[in-house]
Amino acid sequence: MNDLTIQLTDTGKECLYQQIYVYIRDEIRKGKLLAGEKLPSTRSLAQYLQVARSTVDFAYGQLVAEGYVEARPCKGYFVSSVEELFHFSVDCEKGTEAGISARETVQKEKSRYDFSPHAVSLKDFPYATWKKITKNILVDANSEMFALGDARGDQELRETISRYLHSSRGVNCQPEQIIIGAGTDYLFMLLEKILGRHVPIAMENPTYKRAYRVFQSFAYEIVPIPMDGSGMNVKELRKTNARVAYVMPSHQYPTGVVMPIGRRMELLKWAGEGQDRYLIEDDYDSEFRYKGKPIPSLQASDRLGRVIYMGTFSKSIAPAIRVGYMVLPSKLLQVYRENCGFYASTVSRIDQRILNEFIRDGYFERYLNKMRKIYRSRHDFLLNQLLPFEKEFTISGENAGLHILLTSKSRIPEETLIKSAAEEGVKLYGMKDACMRGGNMDTHFADTLLMGYGALEEQDLMAGITLLKRAWGIYL
């Protein structure tokens, strides 16, 4: 419920109830009072403003009559959902109207079908299971659970993650090497303290733009490295002074490239040639692969302790989980203890306990298997719907992750395709948005669109593709 800081004046020009009415009406028009928000009761507002309750009743009654507010029996007054509102601009100092005609505030129409490559399906999340685990933990809670805990994360959760990573991704690590944090941003911050400031870091171009922006905020010297069909071009990497290379070998974002074993060995060789060279392996969505066996992690092939392995549960479980993890090589673990050991864990111990039981008791694996089937079905359905587009587009990046790529064969600019799709209510994403400034992107990835399918059911995919046919009919 909002507090209304209404300043009433006794000038005689406007009665008190009119001032209350105008204030609330304007707050709703400006979007400062949102649809569904509860207003103060007439009694409490009258007491706060030191006016008669009937004065507030008159104001609320006028707002209800005009549709700005709705009265719910036994509950109170709530802001109505008003789609189109008009603003009048008035120059109060001069006392003259600056605008005679009404200016409609037009909100950008939301896309009917958003093919976001970052979105996941939340409809099938096991809410009942999560609720049951939470309830059981809180019932059995003891004072120890509410203490600060280990800065790296609870021992039990780190042990569970260690076993899971070894069985699913081939990662070789001890629980002591795992650092748990609230999202990758926090873990990147720790890396700056561990690796040092002003470190030259190589990144694939295009890349995961959020990581790029975080590294930029550290004043790192970022070196864009072009990609080819196998991932980061190691020949170009060798021409730089980079000490660290950030890669996504299991499913590169946004290109969808899966790095073959030969290129992985090249990267590991490069890292081993320098005393302080490291590879940051971001394994953000390796759980979702629809053809063949899962690809082992790059860290699984590391024999020199040069790979910093990072992962998250945001895509595999839900974005709101906000739990990420980092596996440090032994040498860097010692640096962490010396330079970062005083940082407190950013993840609630209760949330860690819930996640630990969710993984340990098999719920996570069952949920992953279910979601793989759902995403594979949507993946296959989307590819089938896109068959008529193959005349103009090359389709790639399939069989893994939650998005595919459409590359124009006749080099239609992605901006043109995105704009025409938006006019039909379909939101698409361009490859250029993932490119770094000053870096050269391989022409293989030019004029390319990203189509995510994680959050769209089959009927939505079909409807969205139908609209794209209408938008791009001239090219098809």
Side-chain angles (χ1 to χ4, degrees):
M1 181 175 68
N2 278 290
D3 292 326
L4 302 179
T5 54
I6 305 173
Q7 299 295 326
L8 299 180
T9 59
D10 191 15
T11 61
K13 293 183 178 180
E14 277 189 330
C15 58
L16 295 179
Y17 98 85
Q18 183 75 7
Q19 293 180 49
I20 298 171
Y21 155 76
V22 169
Y23 176 87
I24 296 176
R25 182 200 64 186
D26 290 348
E27 290 291 283
I28 295 173
R29 285 179 170 181
K30 294 174 184 176
K32 295 182 179 180
L33 288 174
L34 302 179
E37 289 193 39
K38 187 177 182 181
L39 298 179
S41 67
T42 56
R43 183 187 298 277
S44 63
L45 185 57
Q47 185 176 3
Y48 171 74
L49 296 176
Q50 295 296 294
V51 298
R53 186 176 178 183
S54 59
T55 301
V56 180
D57 282 331
F58 279 130
Y60 277 18
Q62 185 65 26
L63 291 165
V64 170
E66 295 185 14
Y68 289 101
V69 171
E70 60 179 283
R72 300 178 187 175
C74 303
K75 293 184 178 180
Y77 292 91
F78 295 81
V79 178
S80 300
S81 177
V82 184
E83 295 182 356
E84 296 182 352
L85 297 174
F86 296 87
H87 285 219
F88 293 90
S89 177
V90 180
D91 188 337
C92 297
E93 292 184 4
K94 297 180 180 179
T96 58
E97 283 194 356
I100 298 176
S101 60
R103 177 171 58 87
E104 184 178 2
T105 301
V106 181
Q107 295 181 344
K108 291 183 179 179
E109 183 181 354
K110 291 184 179 180
S111 300
R112 293 170 61 189
Y113 303 101
D114 187 352
F115 285 82
S116 171
H118 304 291
V120 299
S121 176
L122 298 177
K123 181 180 178 181
D124 300 285
F125 181 79
Y127 296 100
T129 299
W130 197 268
K131 182 178 179 180
K132 181 182 72 173
I133 295 174
T134 303
K135 182 179 179 181
N136 292 340
I137 286 174
L138 293 178
V139 167
D140 298 333
N142 51 47
S143 58
E144 182 183 351
M145 188 184 299
F146 294 92
L148 194 58
D150 194 313
R152 292 168 296 178
D154 280 0
Q155 177 72 15
E156 289 186 8
L157 178 57
R158 288 187 284 118
E159 289 175 354
T160 298
I161 292 176
S162 176
R163 289 193 296 270
Y164 168 72
L165 291 178
H166 183 69
S167 63
S168 65
R169 307 293 299 122
V171 173
N172 298 306
C173 69
Q174 299 298 319
E176 290 71 25
Q177 296 175 254
I178 297 176
I179 313 297
I180 296 170
T184 53
D185 292 359
Y186 169 75
L187 299 175
F188 285 147
M189 184 216 43
L190 289 182
L191 272 183
E192 185 205 17
K193 307 300 181 185
I194 296 169
L195 297 173
R197 303 193 67 190
H198 306 291
V199 173
I201 181 170
M203 299 188 74
E204 301 158 317
N205 194 35
T207 190
Y208 177 43
K209 208 62 173 291
R210 185 173 184 85
Y212 168 66
R213 293 193 178 107
V214 172
F215 290 145
Q216 265 191 324
S217 71
F218 298 156
Y220 276 180
E221 178 189 341
I222 299 177
V223 185
I225 305 295
M227 294 181 58
D228 55 26
S230 298
M232 178 179 281
N233 190 320
V234 180
K235 291 182 179 179
E236 296 297 322
L237 175 62
R238 290 185 178 279
K239 297 177 183 178
T240 72
N241 64 338
R243 266 188 51 205
V244 179
Y246 172 84
V247 293
M248 294 165 274
S250 295
H251 186 243
Q252 203 273 346
Y253 182 87
T255 65
V257 169
V258 177
M259 188 179 291
I261 187 64
R263 182 60 55 84
R264 294 173 183 232
M265 292 300 104
E266 288 183 66
L267 277 173
L268 288 171
K269 183 179 179 182
W270 170 85
E273 291 171 351
Q275 184 177 0
D276 293 316
R277 286 183 180 176
Y278 292 96
L279 300 169
I280 300 175
E281 178 182 13
D282 191 342
D283 209 11
Y284 69 101
D285 75 346
S286 59
E287 289 90 356
F288 302 118
R289 184 166 177 79
Y290 315 120
K291 187 177 181 180
K293 295 182 179 180
I295 306 295
S297 66
L298 178 65
Q299 197 267 5
S301 302
D302 179 24
R303 299 293 179 266
L304 300 176
R306 297 306 177 91
V307 176
I308 302 165
Y309 181 87
M310 303 187 72
T312 177
F313 293 103
S314 292
K315 280 218 168 188
S316 56
I317 299 181
I321 298 299
R322 300 302 299 156
V323 176
Y325 50 87
M326 174 171 63
V327 180
L328 292 175
S330 299
K331 183 178 179 180
L332 295 184
L333 179 61
Q334 183 60 33
V335 179
Y336 165 81
R337 287 170 174 159
E338 294 173 358
N339 298 345
C340 309
F342 61 91
Y343 284 105
S345 176
T346 53
V347 182
S348 159
R349 296 192 70 190
I350 296 175
D351 290 338
Q352 292 187 59
R353 180 81 174 270
I354 296 169
L355 180 59
N356 179 61
E357 295 196 12
F358 188 71
I359 300 173
R360 185 198 64 195
D361 295 345
Y363 298 111
F364 179 49
E365 189 63 31
R366 288 194 288 273
Y367 177 60
L368 271 184
N369 291 334
K370 178 182 179 180
M371 296 313 299
R372 285 191 191 104
K373 292 179 181 178
I374 291 174
Y375 289 143
R376 182 188 295 115
S377 176
R378 295 179 184 179
H379 164 273
D380 295 345
F381 183 83
L382 178 59
L383 290 180
N384 185 63
Q385 291 293 308
L386 289 173
L387 289 176
F389 291 69
E390 291 183 341
K391 176 183 176 182
E392 171 56 37
F393 295 95
T394 299
I395 300 172
S396 59
E398 69 274 26
N399 298 320
L402 298 178
H403 74 276
I404 60 174
L405 307 178
L406 270 67
T407 303
S408 173
K409 296 178 181 178
S410 56
R411 295 306 184 191
I412 304 169
E414 63 182 55
E415 296 89 350
T416 301
L417 296 169
I418 292 173
K419 182 179 179 181
S420 56
E423 291 172 353
E424 294 292 340
V426 178
K427 187 171 184 179
L428 297 176
Y429 300 78
M431 185 68 77
K432 289 182 181 177
D433 290 338
C435 292
M436 292 178 279
R437 293 180 181 178
N440 295 321
M441 180 177 66
D442 192 289
T443 55
H444 176 73
F445 301 112
D447 305 310
T448 298
L449 301 175
L450 283 65
M451 291 189 69
Y453 50 85
L456 297 174
E457 298 186 13
E458 291 186 1
Q459 63 266 28
D460 297 321
L461 293 172
M462 180 183 292
I465 295 301
T466 299
L467 292 177
L468 283 182
K469 290 178 182 177
R470 184 191 304 171
W472 298 342
I474 189 174
Y475 309 120
L476 304 177

